[in-house]
Structures are given as C-alpha cells and as structure tokens.
Amino acid sequence: MTPLLLTNPTDFTSSMLVGLLSFAVRATVLLLGAWIATRLLRRASAATRHLIWTVATAGVLTLPLLAVLLPEWKVPVVTIVANADAPAARATPGAAARQESREPSPQIASVPSRSNIQSREQDARSNVMTLTRGFASRVTVEGFITVLWLSVALLLLSRLAIANARVSGWQRSSRPVDDGRWLTLALRLTREYGIERPVMLLENQESDVPVTWGVVYPVILLPAGAEHWDEEQRVAVLTHELAHVKRFDALTQLLAQLALALLWFHPLVWMAVRRMRLEREHACDDFVLVAGARASRYADDLLGLARRLTRPTAPAAAALAMARRSELEGRLLAILDPATKRTAVRRARVGAMTLAVIVLAAPLAAFRPAARVSAAFHPQPAVPRSTDSSSVRLADARESSLPPLGRIRPDTEPVRTVDVQTLIDVTKGAKRMTSDHEKGQLLAVIAQRYVRNDALRDAYLEAVFTMTSDYERSKALIALLERDSIPASSTAQVLRSAALMTSDMNRGMVLKRISPATFADSTVQRAYLDVIVAMTSDVERASAISSLVKQRPLPPSVQLALLRATTAISSNVEKANVLLLFVERQTVADEIVRRAFLKAAETLTSDREYRRVMMAVL
C-alpha cells in the first residue's frame, strides 16, 4: 500500500474518511451476499442462517487486516477519454500570436530573481486568503464527520465495556449452585453434548430468566425460584443455555458488537446484528427440541419465563438471556411449527462457509480501483509553418502528448517515451494551472519521463514556484531530487522554494533529499540556513542542522549561523544532541566559534544535558 504523507489535520481527516468509506463499501458486498444467501436458504435451519451471518460479520472485521497484509490488486474500472481536439488546444495564427504575447519570453533567465519570488509569495498569500472560506468549510465538515464517527464508535465500545462490567458484577454477587440435582444434571448434559470447557452454575435473586455469558469460562446464571422447577423444565433450560456454550454464541455476539461499533452508520450492519440475535435463539430452541423436549411444554415454559419478567434482563451486548419479550412471538411460532427444519450445522459446512468468505474477502480487501486513459483523436486544421512560435509548439505538444499524459497511473499503463522539447513545452504550460492538485498530478507524470536537461529542470522549478500547497510543492521537489543530480545553483533554487513553505514536516522531507555533494557551495549553504531559520519545530530543525553539521569542513560563518539556529531550539534533548554532534564533526578552535558554542550551551536549562555537552568539550 502506498504510504500517505499527512501534513495537516485536513489530510488526516480526509484519509480517514476515505478509508472508512472504502471499508463500508467492502463490508456492503459481504453483508449483501449474506442477506442474499439467507433469503435463498430461508427454509433451511436457523443454525445455518446464523452461521452465514456470523462468517459474514467476521469477514467484515478482517477486511482492514487483509488490506494491510495483502498486496494491492489494481483493476481499471474507469475509462477516461482524452479529447485531443478540444477548442483550447486548437491554435490559430492569431491566437498563437496573442498567446505568445502573454507567455514569458524564452530568453528570460529561468531562475527567478528575489523580487519575483517576493511578488509570487504575495500573490500566493492573496490566493490563500481568497480560498480560506471554502477551505475552512471543507475542514470543518470533514473534521465534524470524523469526530462524530469516533464519538459514536467510542460510545458503543463504552457500552460494551459497561455491559461486561455489569455482568462481572453479577458474577461476583452470585453464589454457586449447591443443589446436587442441578450439578448432576449439568455434568451429564455437558458430557452428552461434548462440551469440554468447564461450565459454572450460579444463582442470583436479581435475574428473572436464565442468562449465559463467557467464552473461555462460560457461566450459566439461574434465576430465583429455579430450585422449584420440575425435571423436564430443568433439562430444557439447561439444554438451551448449554446450546449457547456449545455454539460459542458469546464469541459471535462479541464480534457483532465490534462490527456495530466500527460501522454504526451502516444499516446492513444493524440488520446483521439483529438477524444474528434472532437466528441464534431459534437455533438454540431447535437444539432443545432435537434433544427430546416436547414442543408444547417447552413453549409453555418459555412463555412462563417471559411473564415473570419484572426487571430489565441482562445487557444484550455482553450476555445471552433465554427470554426477551420482543422476540417471544416469533420463537413460539417457530417452536410449534412442525415443518421447521431443526438440523444442526456440521463442522464441514462451517469450514466451507468460512473458506467461501475468505475467498470473497481477500480480493475485496486487495482491490484498488484504477483508471484507464484512452485518447480520441480527430482531424485538426493544419497550423501554418510561418507561425512557428513557442505558443504554437506548446499547442502541438498538448495535442501530441497530453492524452497519454492524462491521469495515467504508473502501475496501470507503461511509461511512454516523450522527446525533450515536448516535455519542456508541457512543463512551461503547467505554470498557468491554478489548481495545485492538478498541477502536481501533471508534474508527477513529467517526473516519470524526466531526463537530465537544464531547460527542463528550470521549467520544472518555475512551475513548482507557482504552487501554494506545501504538500504538492514538497512532493514535486522530492520527485525532481530523486530523478536528477542537480547542480548547486538549482539546489539553491530548490531550497528557496522549500523556505516558502509553512509546514516544517514538508521542509524537512525536502532537506533530507539534498545531496551532500552540494553543501560545499556557499549559495547552497546560505539557502539551507534560510530554511532552518524558517522552521519552528524542534525535531525538524535539529534534524536539518545535524545534516549540515555532518558535512565538513564548514567555514566559520556557516558554523556561527548553525549555532545561532541551534540556540533557538527549545528542547534540551534536541539542542544537546546537536551540540554534541557539532563537537564531534566540527571544531571549536576558532575563538569566535567557541564563544558562540558556549553561548548556545548556556541556553540549556537541563543540568544533565549541559553536563553532557561540557564533558564532550573537555
């Protein structure tokens, strides 16, 4: 999976919402498949339908894990048709001349002057102020949705934790059953049903119906008055509760609650949780009837338990109550219906359904939609040779290269070879774009086809200078630094572009790509120091200073500038580490440098860090 560079809360909330939406869409496929399967098998046993909902819910919970573990499977699902004969791309002689008058002359120096940089910075700030309202609105909406989802998810998880705490309190306040008839019956039935886990029988005056909870150490809580039940009712009640234990219903209930907490906004998840609860009770009722209980007597006992309900039952999120009034009517009809199938689910069917969900969930988790770009060419009027200007060449370049350079992902279509002049013309045209995102997409494609050429490099950096987004600017600069061993003059230009950023993280990412071979140039050193001075993060500033301190020898002027920048670091640990590295890699023999070093060390407020630095000096 491609890592995301999150430079601000907007990037974080956007990526979280995109991931949550992707998770919900994939979960929809699994849950819809479960709903269709249960509809087709509506005449099958309740245990079969409950198994389908259970494995689908478990598959939903495994989707995020599979998305991390499995390699991406990119499938082109959208075709983008690039029209090569758009009106903007048709260049007539008059339009070409007018366009050329608006373009910068190719004889102008590529490296912008300081006044141009300041002017562009003012324009960028003006544009930012213009877009502030819309941007702030988007941040507010995304942040609100993220906070709302997290709040409700934490609320549901808290409800689950509180329910488990209540059940644990019941267990502590209950007393073990000491009636020999109950204990003998429970031992016989657990052996008969093949339950190897130790089952604890408790009794409590606070419950009106039998309740079961626990996965590893299951507990069955009997209500008040259970000692007066006859043998047939005891067998039916214990068989129902032991059916929950045998089927691991406490575990499947926990999985359903976790899925509900993560996707509480998804209606199919609520439906799945409700259907699991209903089918679970129907399956346990079927288990009791298959074990030999009379349907009429069992229905009468169940109705009698529901009538005695005068207090709230156990919390449904953590415990399984035998009778709830909201479910009683459907259960009684199913118990008294002789045509209902009551067969249990065999292990082979459990394995087959689990494998089917894994086979469906794995490609769902690995699936990544991609785009396929196709070009639609139409005859164009010939452009007279007499109008061979830079704007006409730019129009020709757009017509010939923009369709394949459209939103192509490098992993869906091979990179085409483009001549250098076309790349230069397209790169110059990128300066006119107002959207940083679209400009960054175009520069990313240009970087894939990049060749070492001074004119192309200058055009690329000029386009980067027109960006206002720190994220897009840093991404474009890093793409250039990774593809080209740029000279010192261009490195200084990259650093000046990085100095205009507001995000220290983006600045630091660019500084880490600067080649150490260019540090010998004084212009690069000054530009590097300007970026360091503009930083406010102690971690990023210390990392940038350390990268420059490791280069030697540095002239005293640069050493003094580095020590002044180190003094501004507020963290004692970061400042001490930089000073220790300075002693190790540089020299403090010069009197002025030594005084500046000691002055920087005196700003340490931690005696321990000051001692470390002074011992290194000695």
Side-chain angles (χ1 to χ4, degrees), residues 190 195-201 215-220 242 245:
T190 52
I195 300 175
E196 299 180 354
R197 288 168 293 160
V199 180
M200 180 182 299
L201 278 182
V215 179
V216 180
Y217 299 102
V219 176
I220 298 177
L242 289 175
V245 176

Side-chain angles (χ1 to χ4, degrees), residues 107-253:
Q107 283 76 23
I108 297 177
S110 298
V111 180
S113 62
R114 184 176 297 275
S115 60
N116 290 338
I117 295 177
Q118 294 175 351
S119 176
R120 288 171 181 170
E121 183 179 2
Q122 293 175 356
D123 293 341
R125 290 175 179 173
S126 177
N127 293 335
V128 170
M129 293 299 295
T130 304
L131 298 175
T132 296
R133 290 186 177 181
F135 179 76
S137 175
R138 183 170 64 90
V139 172
T140 303
V141 172
E142 292 179 349
F144 173 77
I145 295 176
T146 303
V147 171
L148 177 63
W149 172 72
L150 287 174
S151 300
V152 179
L154 291 176
L155 181 64
L156 292 176
L157 291 175
S158 300
R159 185 190 68 167
L160 179 60
I162 293 173
N164 281 280
R166 285 184 56 193
V167 168
S168 298
W170 275 15
Q171 183 170 346
R172 288 190 298 269
S173 62
S174 303
R175 62 185 183 88
V177 174
D178 54 5
D179 189 334
R181 293 177 300 172
W182 277 107
L183 296 177
T184 303
L185 179 61
L187 181 61
R188 178 175 65 83
L189 293 179
T190 52
R191 290 178 178 176
E192 182 178 344
Y193 301 147
I195 300 175
E196 299 180 354
R197 288 168 293 160
V199 180
M200 180 182 299
L201 278 182
L202 301 177
E203 56 181 351
N204 194 311
Q205 300 297 323
E206 299 181 4
S207 178
D208 294 326
V209 295
V211 181
T212 300
W213 68 82
V215 179
V216 180
Y217 299 102
V219 176
I220 298 177
L221 180 67
L222 299 176
E227 64 274 8
H228 304 300
W229 294 348
D230 59 23
E231 185 70 14
E232 186 174 359
Q233 186 174 4
R234 293 187 182 192
V235 171
V237 168
L238 268 185
T239 300
H240 182 96
E241 300 306 317
L242 289 175
H244 285 308
V245 176
K246 181 178 177 63
R247 291 164 35 84
F248 288 89
D249 284 338
L251 177 60
T252 60
Q253 174 70 357

Side-chain angles (χ1 to χ4, degrees), residues 499-542:
L500 298 178
M501 299 179 187
T502 58
S503 168
D504 287 342
M505 179 181 294
N506 291 119
R507 289 172 177 155
M509 291 167 55
V510 175
L511 294 183
K512 291 176 183 178
R513 267 70 172 192
I514 299 298
S515 173
T518 61
F519 283 131
D521 187 86
S522 59
T523 306
V524 174
Q525 293 175 0
R526 286 194 297 270
Y528 197 95
L529 290 172
D530 290 340
V531 180
I532 294 176
V533 172
M535 288 182 168
T536 57
S537 169
D538 288 342
V539 175
E540 297 296 342
R541 175 177 289 189

Side-chain angles (χ1 to χ4, degrees), residues 31 48 85 100-101 117 163 285 297 306 383 389 404 411 418 431 476 480 482 494 522 526 564 576 592:
L31 295 177
T48 301
D85 63 343
E100 186 177 10
S101 65
I117 295 177
D285 292 338
R297 173 61 192 274
V383 179
S389 62
D411 46 13
V418 183
K431 293 186 298 183
L480 176 64
E482 290 178 347
V494 170
S522 59
R526 286 194 297 270
R564 285 194 293 270
I592 299 177

